[in-house]
mmCIF file with all atom_site columns, all heavy atoms in Angstrom:
data_model
loop_
_atom_site.group_PDB
_atom_site.id
_atom_site.type_symbol
_atom_site.label_atom_id
_atom_site.label_alt_id
_atom_site.label_comp_id
_atom_site.label_asym_id
_atom_site.label_entity_id
_atom_site.label_seq_id
_atom_site.pdbx_PDB_ins_code
_atom_site.Cartn_x
_atom_site.Cartn_y
_atom_site.Cartn_z
_atom_site.occupancy
_atom_site.B_iso_or_equiv
_atom_site.pdbx_formal_charge
_atom_site.auth_seq_id
_atom_site.auth_comp_id
_atom_site.auth_asym_id
_atom_site.auth_atom_id
_atom_site.pdbx_PDB_model_num
ATOM 1   N N   . ARG A 1 167 ? -98.824  -35.690 -93.483  1.00 98.00 ? 167 ARG A N   1
ATOM 2   C CA  . ARG A 1 167 ? -99.216  -34.343 -93.933  1.00 98.00 ? 167 ARG A CA  1
ATOM 3   C C   . ARG A 1 167 ? -99.352  -34.285 -95.455  1.00 98.00 ? 167 ARG A C   1
ATOM 4   O O   . ARG A 1 167 ? -100.178 -33.532 -95.985  1.00 98.00 ? 167 ARG A O   1
ATOM 5   C CB  . ARG A 1 167 ? -98.215  -33.295 -93.431  1.00 98.00 ? 167 ARG A CB  1
ATOM 6   C CG  . ARG A 1 167 ? -98.103  -33.248 -91.906  1.00 98.00 ? 167 ARG A CG  1
ATOM 7   C CD  . ARG A 1 167 ? -97.433  -31.981 -91.410  1.00 98.00 ? 167 ARG A CD  1
ATOM 8   N NE  . ARG A 1 167 ? -96.149  -31.708 -92.010  1.00 98.00 ? 167 ARG A NE  1
ATOM 9   C CZ  . ARG A 1 167 ? -94.982  -32.232 -91.643  1.00 98.00 ? 167 ARG A CZ  1
ATOM 10  N NH1 . ARG A 1 167 ? -94.931  -33.110 -90.646  1.00 98.00 ? 167 ARG A NH1 1
ATOM 11  N NH2 . ARG A 1 167 ? -93.847  -31.894 -92.232  1.00 98.00 ? 167 ARG A NH2 1
ATOM 12  N N   . LYS A 1 168 ? -98.568  -35.077 -96.174  1.00 98.00 ? 168 LYS A N   1
ATOM 13  C CA  . LYS A 1 168 ? -98.712  -35.131 -97.630  1.00 98.00 ? 168 LYS A CA  1
ATOM 14  C C   . LYS A 1 168 ? -100.092 -35.671 -98.012  1.00 98.00 ? 168 LYS A C   1
ATOM 15  O O   . LYS A 1 168 ? -100.730 -35.173 -98.953  1.00 98.00 ? 168 LYS A O   1
ATOM 16  C CB  . LYS A 1 168 ? -97.612  -36.000 -98.244  1.00 98.00 ? 168 LYS A CB  1
ATOM 17  C CG  . LYS A 1 168 ? -96.250  -35.322 -98.281  1.00 98.00 ? 168 LYS A CG  1
ATOM 18  C CD  . LYS A 1 168 ? -95.132  -36.276 -98.631  1.00 98.00 ? 168 LYS A CD  1
ATOM 19  C CE  . LYS A 1 168 ? -95.246  -36.839 -100.026 1.00 98.00 ? 168 LYS A CE  1
ATOM 20  N NZ  . LYS A 1 168 ? -94.067  -37.684 -100.370 1.00 98.00 ? 168 LYS A NZ  1
ATOM 21  N N   . VAL A 1 169 ? -100.541 -36.682 -97.290  1.00 98.00 ? 169 VAL A N   1
ATOM 22  C CA  . VAL A 1 169 ? -101.885 -37.212 -97.555  1.00 98.00 ? 169 VAL A CA  1
ATOM 23  C C   . VAL A 1 169 ? -102.928 -36.140 -97.260  1.00 98.00 ? 169 VAL A C   1
ATOM 24  O O   . VAL A 1 169 ? -103.874 -35.940 -98.039  1.00 98.00 ? 169 VAL A O   1
ATOM 25  C CB  . VAL A 1 169 ? -102.151 -38.476 -96.711  1.00 98.00 ? 169 VAL A CB  1
ATOM 26  C CG1 . VAL A 1 169 ? -103.599 -38.943 -96.898  1.00 98.00 ? 169 VAL A CG1 1
ATOM 27  C CG2 . VAL A 1 169 ? -101.193 -39.596 -97.083  1.00 98.00 ? 169 VAL A CG2 1
ATOM 28  N N   . VAL A 1 170 ? -102.761 -35.456 -96.144  1.00 98.00 ? 170 VAL A N   1
ATOM 29  C CA  . VAL A 1 170 ? -103.709 -34.397 -95.779  1.00 98.00 ? 170 VAL A CA  1
ATOM 30  C C   . VAL A 1 170 ? -103.733 -33.314 -96.855  1.00 98.00 ? 170 VAL A C   1
ATOM 31  O O   . VAL A 1 170 ? -104.809 -32.861 -97.280  1.00 98.00 ? 170 VAL A O   1
ATOM 32  C CB  . VAL A 1 170 ? -103.352 -33.793 -94.404  1.00 98.00 ? 170 VAL A CB  1
ATOM 33  C CG1 . VAL A 1 170 ? -104.263 -32.612 -94.085  1.00 98.00 ? 170 VAL A CG1 1
ATOM 34  C CG2 . VAL A 1 170 ? -103.464 -34.853 -93.309  1.00 98.00 ? 170 VAL A CG2 1
ATOM 35  N N   . ALA A 1 171 ? -102.550 -32.915 -97.337  1.00 98.00 ? 171 ALA A N   1
ATOM 36  C CA  . ALA A 1 171 ? -102.471 -31.877 -98.371  1.00 98.00 ? 171 ALA A CA  1
ATOM 37  C C   . ALA A 1 171 ? -103.162 -32.300 -99.654  1.00 98.00 ? 171 ALA A C   1
ATOM 38  O O   . ALA A 1 171 ? -103.710 -31.464 -100.391 1.00 98.00 ? 171 ALA A O   1
ATOM 39  C CB  . ALA A 1 171 ? -101.012 -31.532 -98.647  1.00 98.00 ? 171 ALA A CB  1
ATOM 40  N N   . SER A 1 172 ? -103.147 -33.584 -99.945  1.00 98.00 ? 172 SER A N   1
ATOM 41  C CA  . SER A 1 172 ? -103.778 -34.072 -101.172 1.00 98.00 ? 172 SER A CA  1
ATOM 42  C C   . SER A 1 172 ? -105.290 -34.184 -101.057 1.00 98.00 ? 172 SER A C   1
ATOM 43  O O   . SER A 1 172 ? -105.981 -34.315 -102.072 1.00 98.00 ? 172 SER A O   1
ATOM 44  C CB  . SER A 1 172 ? -103.189 -35.440 -101.551 1.00 98.00 ? 172 SER A CB  1
ATOM 45  O OG  . SER A 1 172 ? -103.610 -36.445 -100.645 1.00 98.00 ? 172 SER A OG  1
ATOM 46  N N   . ARG A 1 173 ? -105.820 -34.095 -99.816  1.00 97.00 ? 173 ARG A N   1
ATOM 47  C CA  . ARG A 1 173 ? -107.252 -34.295 -99.622  1.00 97.00 ? 173 ARG A CA  1
ATOM 48  C C   . ARG A 1 173 ? -108.002 -33.085 -99.074  1.00 97.00 ? 173 ARG A C   1
ATOM 49  O O   . ARG A 1 173 ? -109.226 -33.011 -99.208  1.00 97.00 ? 173 ARG A O   1
ATOM 50  C CB  . ARG A 1 173 ? -107.481 -35.488 -98.671  1.00 97.00 ? 173 ARG A CB  1
ATOM 51  C CG  . ARG A 1 173 ? -107.065 -36.831 -99.245  1.00 97.00 ? 173 ARG A CG  1
ATOM 52  C CD  . ARG A 1 173 ? -107.680 -37.959 -98.425  1.00 97.00 ? 173 ARG A CD  1
ATOM 53  N NE  . ARG A 1 173 ? -109.131 -37.920 -98.502  1.00 97.00 ? 173 ARG A NE  1
ATOM 54  C CZ  . ARG A 1 173 ? -109.945 -37.958 -97.446  1.00 97.00 ? 173 ARG A CZ  1
ATOM 55  N NH1 . ARG A 1 173 ? -109.446 -38.020 -96.219  1.00 97.00 ? 173 ARG A NH1 1
ATOM 56  N NH2 . ARG A 1 173 ? -111.258 -37.920 -97.596  1.00 97.00 ? 173 ARG A NH2 1
ATOM 57  N N   . LEU A 1 174 ? -107.304 -32.174 -98.439  1.00 97.00 ? 174 LEU A N   1
ATOM 58  C CA  . LEU A 1 174 ? -107.991 -31.000 -97.901  1.00 97.00 ? 174 LEU A CA  1
ATOM 59  C C   . LEU A 1 174 ? -108.724 -30.256 -99.019  1.00 97.00 ? 174 LEU A C   1
ATOM 60  O O   . LEU A 1 174 ? -108.206 -30.141 -100.136 1.00 97.00 ? 174 LEU A O   1
ATOM 61  C CB  . LEU A 1 174 ? -106.995 -30.046 -97.261  1.00 97.00 ? 174 LEU A CB  1
ATOM 62  C CG  . LEU A 1 174 ? -106.629 -30.256 -95.784  1.00 97.00 ? 174 LEU A CG  1
ATOM 63  C CD1 . LEU A 1 174 ? -105.535 -29.257 -95.407  1.00 97.00 ? 174 LEU A CD1 1
ATOM 64  C CD2 . LEU A 1 174 ? -107.828 -30.097 -94.863  1.00 97.00 ? 174 LEU A CD2 1
ATOM 65  N N   . PRO A 1 175 ? -109.889 -29.715 -98.749  1.00 96.00 ? 175 PRO A N   1
ATOM 66  C CA  . PRO A 1 175 ? -110.536 -28.848 -99.742  1.00 96.00 ? 175 PRO A CA  1
ATOM 67  C C   . PRO A 1 175 ? -109.609 -27.674 -100.057 1.00 96.00 ? 175 PRO A C   1
ATOM 68  O O   . PRO A 1 175 ? -108.891 -27.190 -99.169  1.00 96.00 ? 175 PRO A O   1
ATOM 69  C CB  . PRO A 1 175 ? -111.809 -28.378 -99.020  1.00 96.00 ? 175 PRO A CB  1
ATOM 70  C CG  . PRO A 1 175 ? -112.048 -29.401 -97.955  1.00 96.00 ? 175 PRO A CG  1
ATOM 71  C CD  . PRO A 1 175 ? -110.692 -29.871 -97.531  1.00 96.00 ? 175 PRO A CD  1
ATOM 72  N N   . PRO A 1 176 ? -109.571 -27.206 -101.305 1.00 96.00 ? 176 PRO A N   1
ATOM 73  C CA  . PRO A 1 176 ? -108.646 -26.127 -101.667 1.00 96.00 ? 176 PRO A CA  1
ATOM 74  C C   . PRO A 1 176 ? -108.728 -24.896 -100.767 1.00 96.00 ? 176 PRO A C   1
ATOM 75  O O   . PRO A 1 176 ? -107.705 -24.267 -100.475 1.00 96.00 ? 176 PRO A O   1
ATOM 76  C CB  . PRO A 1 176 ? -109.057 -25.796 -103.105 1.00 96.00 ? 176 PRO A CB  1
ATOM 77  C CG  . PRO A 1 176 ? -109.559 -27.100 -103.641 1.00 96.00 ? 176 PRO A CG  1
ATOM 78  C CD  . PRO A 1 176 ? -110.274 -27.745 -102.485 1.00 96.00 ? 176 PRO A CD  1
ATOM 79  N N   . PHE A 1 177 ? -109.924 -24.568 -100.283 1.00 96.00 ? 177 PHE A N   1
ATOM 80  C CA  . PHE A 1 177 ? -110.042 -23.370 -99.441  1.00 96.00 ? 177 PHE A CA  1
ATOM 81  C C   . PHE A 1 177 ? -109.348 -23.532 -98.087  1.00 96.00 ? 177 PHE A C   1
ATOM 82  O O   . PHE A 1 177 ? -109.105 -22.543 -97.390  1.00 96.00 ? 177 PHE A O   1
ATOM 83  C CB  . PHE A 1 177 ? -111.512 -22.999 -99.231  1.00 96.00 ? 177 PHE A CB  1
ATOM 84  C CG  . PHE A 1 177 ? -112.293 -23.993 -98.405  1.00 96.00 ? 177 PHE A CG  1
ATOM 85  C CD1 . PHE A 1 177 ? -112.237 -23.982 -97.011  1.00 96.00 ? 177 PHE A CD1 1
ATOM 86  C CD2 . PHE A 1 177 ? -113.086 -24.949 -99.027  1.00 96.00 ? 177 PHE A CD2 1
ATOM 87  C CE1 . PHE A 1 177 ? -112.956 -24.897 -96.249  1.00 96.00 ? 177 PHE A CE1 1
ATOM 88  C CE2 . PHE A 1 177 ? -113.810 -25.873 -98.267  1.00 96.00 ? 177 PHE A CE2 1
ATOM 89  C CZ  . PHE A 1 177 ? -113.741 -25.849 -96.885  1.00 96.00 ? 177 PHE A CZ  1
ATOM 90  N N   . ALA A 1 178 ? -109.024 -24.777 -97.704  1.00 97.00 ? 178 ALA A N   1
ATOM 91  C CA  . ALA A 1 178 ? -108.397 -25.024 -96.404  1.00 97.00 ? 178 ALA A CA  1
ATOM 92  C C   . ALA A 1 178 ? -106.900 -25.285 -96.508  1.00 97.00 ? 178 ALA A C   1
ATOM 93  O O   . ALA A 1 178 ? -106.232 -25.527 -95.504  1.00 97.00 ? 178 ALA A O   1
ATOM 94  C CB  . ALA A 1 178 ? -109.075 -26.207 -95.723  1.00 97.00 ? 178 ALA A CB  1
ATOM 95  N N   . LEU A 1 179 ? -106.347 -25.205 -97.711  1.00 98.00 ? 179 LEU A N   1
ATOM 96  C CA  . LEU A 1 179 ? -104.937 -25.550 -97.901  1.00 98.00 ? 179 LEU A CA  1
ATOM 97  C C   . LEU A 1 179 ? -103.969 -24.575 -97.255  1.00 98.00 ? 179 LEU A C   1
ATOM 98  O O   . LEU A 1 179 ? -102.782 -24.894 -97.087  1.00 98.00 ? 179 LEU A O   1
ATOM 99  C CB  . LEU A 1 179 ? -104.631 -25.667 -99.400  1.00 98.00 ? 179 LEU A CB  1
ATOM 100 C CG  . LEU A 1 179 ? -105.157 -26.927 -100.076 1.00 98.00 ? 179 LEU A CG  1
ATOM 101 C CD1 . LEU A 1 179 ? -105.001 -26.823 -101.587 1.00 98.00 ? 179 LEU A CD1 1
ATOM 102 C CD2 . LEU A 1 179 ? -104.437 -28.165 -99.550  1.00 98.00 ? 179 LEU A CD2 1
ATOM 103 N N   . HIS A 1 180 ? -104.455 -23.403 -96.877  1.00 97.00 ? 180 HIS A N   1
ATOM 104 C CA  . HIS A 1 180 ? -103.568 -22.441 -96.220  1.00 97.00 ? 180 HIS A CA  1
ATOM 105 C C   . HIS A 1 180 ? -102.963 -23.020 -94.940  1.00 97.00 ? 180 HIS A C   1
ATOM 106 O O   . HIS A 1 180 ? -101.902 -22.594 -94.500  1.00 97.00 ? 180 HIS A O   1
ATOM 107 C CB  . HIS A 1 180 ? -104.340 -21.160 -95.893  1.00 97.00 ? 180 HIS A CB  1
ATOM 108 C CG  . HIS A 1 180 ? -105.450 -21.373 -94.909  1.00 97.00 ? 180 HIS A CG  1
ATOM 109 N ND1 . HIS A 1 180 ? -106.719 -21.796 -95.292  1.00 97.00 ? 180 HIS A ND1 1
ATOM 110 C CD2 . HIS A 1 180 ? -105.492 -21.258 -93.558  1.00 97.00 ? 180 HIS A CD2 1
ATOM 111 C CE1 . HIS A 1 180 ? -107.482 -21.908 -94.213  1.00 97.00 ? 180 HIS A CE1 1
ATOM 112 N NE2 . HIS A 1 180 ? -106.764 -21.592 -93.143  1.00 97.00 ? 180 HIS A NE2 1
ATOM 113 N N   . MET A 1 181 ? -103.625 -24.035 -94.355  1.00 97.00 ? 181 MET A N   1
ATOM 114 C CA  . MET A 1 181 ? -103.117 -24.649 -93.128  1.00 97.00 ? 181 MET A CA  1
ATOM 115 C C   . MET A 1 181 ? -101.766 -25.324 -93.340  1.00 97.00 ? 181 MET A C   1
ATOM 116 O O   . MET A 1 181 ? -101.003 -25.513 -92.387  1.00 97.00 ? 181 MET A O   1
ATOM 117 C CB  . MET A 1 181 ? -104.122 -25.665 -92.588  1.00 97.00 ? 181 MET A CB  1
ATOM 118 C CG  . MET A 1 181 ? -105.366 -25.048 -91.995  1.00 97.00 ? 181 MET A CG  1
ATOM 119 S SD  . MET A 1 181 ? -106.388 -26.290 -91.138  1.00 97.00 ? 181 MET A SD  1
ATOM 120 C CE  . MET A 1 181 ? -107.040 -27.198 -92.526  1.00 97.00 ? 181 MET A CE  1
#
Side-chain angles (χ1 to χ4, degrees):
R167 300 196 307 278
K168 285 169 65 175
V169 175
V170 175
S172 71
R173 293 196 63 230
L174 272 175
F177 67 82
L179 285 171
H180 64 275
M181 288 189 288

